[in-house]
Amino acid sequence: MTDKGLEEVVAASTRLSDVDGRAGRLWYVGYDIHELAARSTFEEGVYLLHNLRLPTEAELEELNERLVGEREVSRFLAELMPTLAQQTSPMSMLRTSVSAASAYDPDGWDDSPEANERKAMRLIAKTPTLIAMYHRMRTGQEVVPPNAKLPHAANFLYMLSGQEPEQEDAAALDTTLVLYADHTMNASTFTARVIASTLADMFSAITGAIAALKGPLHGGANEEAMKMLEEVGAPERAEAYVKAKLARHERIMGFGHRVYKTEDPRATHLRRLSQEIGERKGDPRWFEISAEIERVVGEEKGLHPNVDFYAASVYHLLGIPHDLMTPVFALARMSGWTAHVREQYADNRLIRPESEYIGPRNQRYVPIEERSAQAAR
Ligand code: CMC
């Protein structure tokens, strides 16, 4: 029997992350997401996902240096960017750029485990640069080169705005990157692993993952959630808005989850960040609208917010343009995708499920002249 949506299918064994949907728990390599969100950094998470253990100070320092050293994009990508900035949406730019990045990768077609580790670090390091470069070009502003003194999250905000971010803003973005870094067999990670299972290269697998993330049922939900917050505009309008949407059988973006049957543990942190940043910046409206939508959706449908719902107001308050919210998700998930691709290569078997045929059977081939004559009659 078909399991539409593969809900019950276990498609891979992984050491990277684990979810308990009933208890609302998430772990990376056995570490509770609550502890990582409170104490870790994105770079430490990158090390964890790629080495299956936390780094020492020296190891983290070495990783930081490698990532900083790989931030610049190739001349080929920089020359491609003006066209992409004019002609494509942000996620299409990212998909195309990652695909194009294979052209000048120093490791070329080397698909050894060592080369794949280096390709992974390059993709993680360059993704923020690509997004910021795209945004600066499309808005007619000068491109801001990476700042080697700033960590991953702070440098991204710097390249986007041209100004060094406040420490609290950089820390908040960093926490969201930790939260978004990996999430078991979500659609984009599954896509990446399917592509890797054919032994296609790392860039192909990640290009496919970005394509899968783009859709509103997956990563595109944070941007859609932000559109909703703007449409609602004020907390007192949330109830009528949500009820009208549900009456039209429309989905409320940022709510519901295939695996979590209770609160998504990542939403707990994003809710807190949304409130904290709103208060700190004297702009509590987005949190208040969000909280009201959460109340009504909970009462009407019993659904909980997922990672994308409060991420929308957090990113808005951090000055991230709305259509860059899904690319920021990709920026974080790049760490998990690349780790999953490496894990797939390390113990590969072609992923090739079955399908249930539901079309007609025993048809007889009629020559085209007869078909045409039959149609004319
Ligand atoms: N708003 C309204 N109704 C919903 C929602 C929602 N957000 N989510 C699920 N439902 C209803 C759905 O209409 C269906 O009702 P019924 O049985 O009466 O037709 C029922 O819940 C089950 O829905 P489903 O689509 O079979 O459930 P699923 O496990 O396939 O869906 C989901 C998971 C995430 C696709 C879905 O909850 C959804 O569309 N949410 C909105 C988009 C979203 O926020 N996506 C982000 C997902 S989490 C992070 C990420 O991957 O980016």
Side-chain angles (χ1 to χ4, degrees):
M1 210 187 58
T2 310
D3 180 352
K4 195 174 172 193
L6 305 183
E7 185 161 1
E8 302 295 332
V9 176
V10 177
S13 302
T14 183
R15 291 182 168 79
L16 297 172
S17 54
D18 188 21
V19 171
D20 180 340
R22 302 231 158 262
R25 306 279 308 271
L26 167 64
W27 299 264
Y28 296 164
V29 197
Y31 291 95
D32 194 311
I33 193 65
H34 293 306
E35 202 175 5
L36 293 174
R39 304 178 67 177
S40 182
T41 61
F42 177 70
E43 285 89 334
E44 212 176 15
V46 169
Y47 192 98
L48 176 63
L49 290 170
H50 280 270
N51 297 278
L52 303 179
R53 63 176 179 81
L54 287 169
T56 63
E57 270 178 12
E59 286 165 339
L60 185 59
E61 185 53 35
E62 192 199 332
L63 176 79
N64 285 339
E65 276 174 25
R66 280 182 70 196
L67 291 175
V68 167
E70 293 286 0
R71 282 178 181 165
E72 296 276 359
V73 302
S74 68
R75 223 178 98 192
F76 172 58
L77 283 178
E79 284 173 4
L80 198 59
M81 196 56 85
T83 309
L84 296 176
Q86 270 179 13
Q87 304 290 343
T88 62
S89 69
M91 283 300 279
S92 298
M93 173 284 293
L94 197 58
R95 190 195 59 223
T96 302
S97 298
V98 165
S99 178
S102 70
Y104 286 92
D105 187 82
D107 280 299
W109 299 115
D110 183 352
D111 59 3
S112 64
E114 297 75 22
N116 280 328
E117 194 269 348
R118 290 191 293 270
K119 287 178 186 180
M121 294 308 131
R122 279 184 208 117
L123 281 168
I124 294 166
K126 289 179 201 317
T127 303
T129 316
L130 289 168
I131 299 168
M133 184 182 259
Y134 167 88
H135 181 65
R136 301 289 296 185
M137 283 187 180
R138 73 172 174 174
T139 50
Q141 301 178 82
E142 204 141 304
V143 171
V144 179
N147 182 337
K149 292 203 192 83
L150 297 176
H152 206 69
N155 176 56
F156 174 64
L157 290 176
Y158 168 73
M159 290 190 297
L160 204 57
S161 71
Q163 297 188 340
E164 280 200 32
E166 286 175 32
Q167 203 275 329
E168 288 108 319
D169 283 356
L173 178 64
D174 188 60
T175 302
T176 72
L177 301 187
V178 171
L179 296 170
Y180 265 131
D182 195 39
H183 206 246
T184 69
M185 230 11 58
N186 59 87
S188 56
T189 303
F190 179 56
T191 305
R193 287 190 80 129
V194 169
I195 296 172
S197 85
T198 71
L199 298 184
D201 64 290
M202 171 78 76
F203 292 98
S204 299
I206 302 303
T207 302
I210 296 170
L213 187 74
K214 190 170 185 250
L217 295 190
H218 191 6
N222 57 13
E223 187 182 331
E224 295 297 321
M226 191 63 224
K227 276 188 203 149
M228 173 171 68
L229 299 186
E230 285 195 304
E231 277 167 23
V232 172
E236 55 277 15
R237 292 223 289 272
E239 181 154 355
Y241 178 95
V242 168
K243 285 184 172 170
K245 222 169 161 56
L246 292 175
R248 295 194 300 271
H249 300 288
E250 287 175 21
R251 290 188 178 218
I252 313 294
M253 290 302 167
F255 283 85
H257 198 277
R258 174 61 67 78
V259 184
Y260 293 118
K261 303 304 169 206
T262 180
E263 168 129 335
D264 179 335
R266 301 166 298 177
T268 313
H269 294 274
L270 290 159
R271 185 193 292 109
R272 173 182 53 79
L273 283 174
S274 169
Q275 184 167 22
E276 276 174 17
I277 305 171
E279 280 169 10
R280 180 161 54 79
K281 293 187 183 284
D283 187 9
R285 183 165 65 116
W286 303 105
F287 171 74
E288 288 163 6
I289 297 170
S290 305
E292 193 54 11
I293 293 174
E294 179 181 358
R295 179 187 70 75
V296 182
V297 177
E299 283 173 13
E300 294 294 312
K301 292 287 286 187
L303 290 168
H304 300 275
N306 58 50
V307 66
D308 289 323
F309 182 62
Y310 280 101
S313 50
V314 168
Y315 286 161
H316 172 78
L317 288 162
L318 293 179
I320 292 172
H322 299 174
D323 63 355
L324 296 189
M325 290 180 181
T326 311
V328 172
F329 183 159
L331 179 166
R333 189 58 60 85
M334 194 59 79
S335 57
W337 286 333
T338 47
H340 274 274
V341 168
R342 292 182 61 214
E343 189 178 56
Q344 183 67 36
Y345 288 145
D347 183 21
N348 187 54
R349 185 158 190 243
L350 177 72
I351 300 174
R352 200 292 187 195
E354 291 282 351
S355 53
E356 178 198 9
Y357 179 70
I358 56 167
R361 294 188 188 275
N362 302 323
Q363 303 235 67
R364 278 192 40 244
Y365 183 86
V366 178
I368 192 160
E369 312 80 54
E370 278 181 45
R371 261 178 277 151
S372 307
Q374 277 169 10
R377 276 203 290 274

